[in-house]
Amino acid sequence: MRTVSLQEIAQHNKKDDLWVIIHGKVYDLTKFLPEHPGGQKVVLKFAGKDGTKTFDRFHPADIIQRYLSPDVCIGEAEVNNSGEQEPEVETEEDKRVRLAREKMPRLDEMYNTFDFESVARNILKADSWAYFNGGANDEISMRENHNAFHRIWLRPRVMVDVSKIDMTTTMLGDKASMPLYISATALGKMAHPDGEKALAVAAGKRGVIQMIPTLASCSIDEIVGARVHADQTQWFQLYVHKDRRREKDLRQKYVHEGPNEFQDEEINREGGAATAMSGIIDNTLNWNDLAWFKSITKLPIVLKGIQTKEDAVLAARYGCAGIVISNHGGRQLDFAPSPIEILPEIMSALKQEKLENIMEIYIDGGIRRGSDIFKALALGAKGVGIGRPTLYAMSGYGAKGVQRLLELYQNELEMCMRLMGTPTLADIKPEMVDIRNLKDHFVANPTDYLANLSYEKMVPRGNLSKL
Ligand code: HEM
Ligand SMILES: Cc1cc2nc3c(=O)[nH]c(=O)nc-3n(C[C@H](O)[C@H](O)[C@H](O)COP(=O)(O)O)c2cc1C
């Protein structure tokens, strides 16, 4: 590999001729730039320079080998012996974040998921907060995901011995301390320097399953290595790469030692990233491909992103071990329905086709309370996934924050089960929830500012002053 001088690298500092140093190697990112899912601006900032520090804040070192062809590597960058380092300057934003962190409440002062969210809003940099908290377009689906739970009421039963509550369960055959798992969320290091490793630790300590994202900011090896016990279950969320051999390689590497489940997923169209990701993701993926996935793995395949009863029935017919009813946290198609709203119709369609017992049904989106878990279980889910809450908890408090968050979910579900008269998960039944209003949507009309603010109000004639 040739050594490239800093002077030569500095000359390739334009959009149409772009070299960047990452971990001592020089890469020609000219062709990749328009495809970068994080946008062009962030990469262009390092045109002809060393981008390692920022790159490491978001990406695992192996992302380059995973997504770029080897010929983009020009050589090794000459070592900078000049002693000249760009001085670290604290920006206004850094200062705001530093001060907010100094005033952060203690972890034992966090009492529910919303507490973590409000802390995260203050202590995260604006770009990270926007990435985590945002949804597609007008964020109607994102908000609806949680709001829909407000339209389900509970029908508590009394005179039941609830001295012991057991919420342990299995998911795809593996034990879990409660019917909740940590869902895949990309770029965990934006929340905390330990990224997805912190989630692995918290999941292991609380006995819950973690789904590792394809676009994790730590390498899969690091996340698997962070497990607290050797038999800790991890699932893997897979964005299918255009080059299918990569999925096969991944499976061969991890099937014995690492993530226990191998998850397939429909193409994610998160925000503007969708177009850019099309360079990486195979958007020809369709139902017939499932046969190929089944031929390369014996692990259960779960489809995440099911949003209609028709697709749920197809997933069962195509032999999926499970589905996750999900609109990806309202980050893709605005006005996609909330998963909890379509869960009952999916269950009844599966029952009608006699397919309800052949796969496990999970849902995610807007699960913020123990009672939300209860409602989902009552309507037929085997378990629920959480996305943003773990990112918020990790932002402020790392792995310990996520442990506390999981403990709060567990405590709330325990209290809900006790007050509902359901000592075990098997006691939770559909008739314990009232879903008569679930389908009601009250759509807010756009405010007519012209009528409300500019024009004189109409008043009854009798009230007009007599001039
Ligand atoms: C100096 C080089 C790079 C820098 C500074 C950088 C920085 C970033 C940043 C800041 C984001 C997040 C943007 C947001 O707020 O949504 C991002 C996203 C992303 N980057 Fe990079 N990046 C670099 C190189 C690369 C390379 C070489 C690859 C892959 C080969 C890559 C793959 C991705 C992916 C897949 C995402 C999207 C994750 C998602 O939205 O879910 N990046 N990058
Ligand atoms: C910041 C962020 C990144 C996400 N990245 C991914 C991803 O890479 N792959 C994926 O399958 N889902 C991803 N999701 C969706 C989650 O897995 C999950 O479906 C969703 O967050 C659940 O909704 P909730 O955030 O209301 O709990 C992401 C969600 C967020 C908030």
Side-chain angles (χ1 to χ4, degrees):
M1 198 176 271
R2 85 171 166 107
T3 303
V4 194
S5 74
L6 296 179
Q7 218 182 359
E8 186 184 350
I9 300 166
Q11 284 163 9
H12 300 270
N13 62 353
K14 291 175 266 325
K15 213 173 165 171
D16 52 2
D17 177 17
L18 173 68
W19 290 9
V20 177
I21 308 173
I22 301 170
H23 292 291
K25 298 223 170 84
V26 188
Y27 295 96
D28 182 346
L29 297 182
T30 318
K31 275 204 200 121
F32 171 69
L33 184 69
E35 285 187 359
H36 180 238
Q40 304 195 16
K41 223 164 116 190
V42 273
V43 182
L44 276 171
K45 239 168 102 180
F46 303 99
K49 295 195 261 186
D50 195 329
T52 309
K53 220 165 143 196
T54 307
F55 176 88
D56 280 347
R57 265 189 64 214
F58 300 93
H59 301 312
D62 69 353
I63 197 170
I64 296 181
Q65 288 76 38
R66 274 165 48 206
Y67 289 119
L68 299 184
S69 106
D71 47 84
V72 299
C73 184
I74 309 279
E76 294 202 359
E78 172 196 32
V79 179
N80 184 356
N81 287 325
S82 68
E84 282 173 30
Q85 296 263 326
E86 288 202 14
E88 297 253 347
V89 211
E90 188 181 55
T91 62
E92 276 302 307
E93 175 72 340
D94 292 337
K95 188 172 169 197
R96 183 193 63 77
V97 166
R98 179 171 55 77
L99 295 176
R101 282 189 177 268
E102 282 168 13
K103 289 197 221 119
M104 225 167 58
R106 291 192 322 265
L107 183 55
D108 60 1
E109 290 170 329
M110 299 286 106
Y111 291 113
N112 59 52
T113 52
F114 302 106
D115 290 343
F116 284 108
E117 181 168 343
S118 72
V119 170
R121 178 197 289 271
N122 289 328
I123 55 135
L124 280 171
K125 283 191 167 186
D127 60 351
S128 308
W129 170 252
Y131 177 65
F132 294 157
N133 184 255
N137 299 7
D138 299 322
E139 302 184 333
I140 306 290
S141 290
M142 183 183 87
R143 282 166 223 293
E144 167 67 2
N145 281 354
H146 180 65
N147 287 344
F149 284 98
H150 297 172
R151 303 197 297 270
I152 303 177
W153 287 73
L154 300 170
R155 301 188 63 244
R157 300 304 304 270
V158 296
M159 299 300 284
V160 181
D161 176 356
V162 286
S163 53
K164 284 200 193 81
I165 299 290
D166 179 5
M167 64 175 78
T168 55
T169 188
T170 60
M171 295 191 189
L172 301 170
D174 287 310
K175 283 193 192 136
S177 63
M178 62 171 148
L180 172 144
Y181 64 86
I182 297 178
S183 193
T185 48
L187 301 180
K189 277 194 198 162
M190 267 171 122
H192 189 275
D194 292 342
E196 297 77 13
K197 289 185 288 179
L199 299 179
V201 171
K205 295 224 160 135
R206 300 294 316 178
V208 309
I209 294 172
Q210 172 197 19
M211 187 195 289
I212 301 174
T214 296
L215 297 178
S217 54
C218 302
S219 70
I220 305 184
D221 284 335
E222 287 175 310
I223 307 168
V224 171
R227 287 181 303 168
V228 294
H229 347 269
D231 57 353
Q232 181 182 330
T233 302
Q234 288 168 314
W235 294 342
F236 185 67
Q237 173 265 322
L238 178 73
Y239 283 130
V240 179
H241 199 284
K242 276 184 167 169
D243 177 359
R244 293 283 170 88
R245 277 168 311 179
R246 295 178 196 229
E247 324 311 0
K248 212 166 172 176
D249 294 348
L250 260 181
R251 183 198 65 85
Q252 274 157 0
K253 182 156 184 224
Y254 287 104
V255 75
H256 295 304
E257 49 166 294
N260 301 39
E261 320 304 343
F262 205 69
Q263 298 225 356
D264 182 19
E265 142 156 353
E266 291 186 334
I267 305 143
N268 194 335
R269 297 179 192 286
E270 310 223 347
T275 341
M277 285 297 282
S278 64
I280 294 171
I281 282 181
D282 179 0
N283 47 20
T284 68
L285 191 69
N286 64 70
W287 290 107
N288 296 326
D289 291 320
L290 280 167
W292 180 79
F293 280 100
K294 289 180 85 180
S295 78
I296 65 156
T297 182
K298 287 201 174 58
L299 290 173
I301 293 175
V302 175
L303 270 186
K304 175 170 182 274
I306 295 294
Q307 299 172 62
T308 56
K309 60 183 178 188
E310 292 84 351
D311 283 343
V313 167
L314 280 174
R317 293 225 169 98
Y318 276 87
C320 291
I323 53 171
V324 182
I325 308 171
S326 169
N327 58 23
H328 307 280
R331 295 167 73 79
Q332 298 190 344
L333 178 65
D334 209 9
F335 290 98
S338 68
I340 191 70
E341 181 181 331
I342 48 176
L343 176 62
E345 64 202 50
I346 285 184
M347 292 315 295
S348 69
L350 291 171
K351 265 192 195 124
Q352 208 178 349
E353 303 289 325
K354 302 205 177 0
L355 295 168
E356 81 269 30
N357 293 325
I358 68 165
M359 60 177 194
E360 295 186 354
I361 314 295
Y362 296 92
I363 78 163
D364 75 26
I367 313 276
R368 301 292 180 267
R369 286 285 187 186
S371 58
D372 297 342
I373 309 175
F374 186 97
K375 291 170 183 177
L377 264 50
L379 294 173
K382 175 85 174 148
V384 303
I386 51 168
R388 291 181 184 83
T390 51
L391 292 170
Y392 297 146
M394 171 161 87
S395 301
Y397 307 90
K400 288 215 158 64
V402 182
Q403 281 174 61
R404 168 95 177 135
L405 173 84
L406 295 172
E407 183 189 8
L408 291 170
Y409 271 111
Q410 201 158 15
N411 291 348
E412 285 188 1
L413 177 59
E414 184 178 327
M415 184 56 84
C416 185
M417 287 173 71
R418 188 161 277 134
L419 295 173
M420 287 297 296
T422 53
T424 73
L425 299 182
D427 299 313
I428 303 177
K429 297 274 173 355
E431 57 273 19
M432 292 176 157
V433 287
D434 178 352
I435 57 166
R436 283 173 301 169
N437 290 337
L438 184 53
K439 284 263 162 217
D440 294 339
H441 294 260
F442 300 99
V443 179
N445 287 320
T447 306
D448 186 345
Y449 291 103
L450 193 63
N452 291 350
L453 302 177
S454 306
Y455 293 137
E456 194 66 29
K457 288 255 176 310
M458 283 281 280
V459 284
R461 270 200 80 72
N463 292 351
L464 290 175
S465 62
K466 304 221 164 46
L467 296 173

